[in-house]
Amino acid sequence: MKRTKLFFAAIVCLFTANTVCNAHDMPIPAAQLPAAAKSFVQQNFPGRTIVYAEKDTEFMKTKYEVSLNDGTEIDFDNNGTFDKVDCHTAPVPASIVPAAIRQFVMSNCNGAAVIKIDKERYGYDVELSNGMELKFNHQGEFMGYDD
């Protein structure tokens, strides 16, 4: 019985070590991004071009990271759906921000603009141009301030 447990523990360790060692970030041509990711960039960032694209493969999960020529950084999931958009100091295109979040920011944040939006399990993390960080649920309802 002890040998069987030890054998299975060794297999799990080898599999985990192999997975960690095989996790890698690989630069790719923009043409190799999922079609949905390329379409997202064209629709929401017209006139800007992808200057860098990277495919991140980790334990049975693939993500893509993209940098545009204006410094905007976008993360996509395996299907090409955006996960995070960081425009640093410029406003995130309104078409990306859910309407309820846009309305809350316009009504309560004294003219601040959304410069970063990040999808989380519970909803969204939003960073504003005035430095405030806000949390919203999936319906766009304000949940509180991020520390």
Side-chain angles (χ1 to χ4, degrees), residues 18-29:
N18 186 38
T19 302
V20 170
C21 290
N22 286 333
H24 60 283
D25 303 342
M26 182 174 62
I28 60 170

Side-chain angles (χ1 to χ4, degrees), residues 9-10 31 47 57 77 80 84-85 91 94 99 106-107 113 116 127-128 139-140:
T57 306
D77 67 12
K84 179 173 71 172
V85 174
M106 285 175 34
S107 300
K116 180 179 176 182
E127 185 177 329
L128 304 180
Q139 291 74 37

Side-chain angles (χ1 to χ4, degrees), residues 25-82:
D25 303 342
M26 182 174 62
I28 60 170
Q32 289 183 7
L33 290 167
K38 292 184 282 190
S39 177
F40 178 87
V41 171
Q42 291 170 347
Q43 291 174 359
N44 295 290
F45 297 92
R48 298 180 200 144
T49 57
I50 297 171
V51 294
Y52 181 78
E54 184 176 277
K55 182 178 181 178
D56 297 337
T57 306
E58 299 174 5
F59 188 67
M60 298 173 33
K61 186 176 181 182
T62 301
K63 295 183 344 178
Y64 297 91
E65 296 177 13
V66 169
S67 295
L68 304 183
N69 61 337
D70 67 347
T72 297
E73 297 174 354
I74 309 168
D75 292 353
F76 296 98
D77 67 12
N78 188 47
N79 299 320
T81 303
F82 96 89

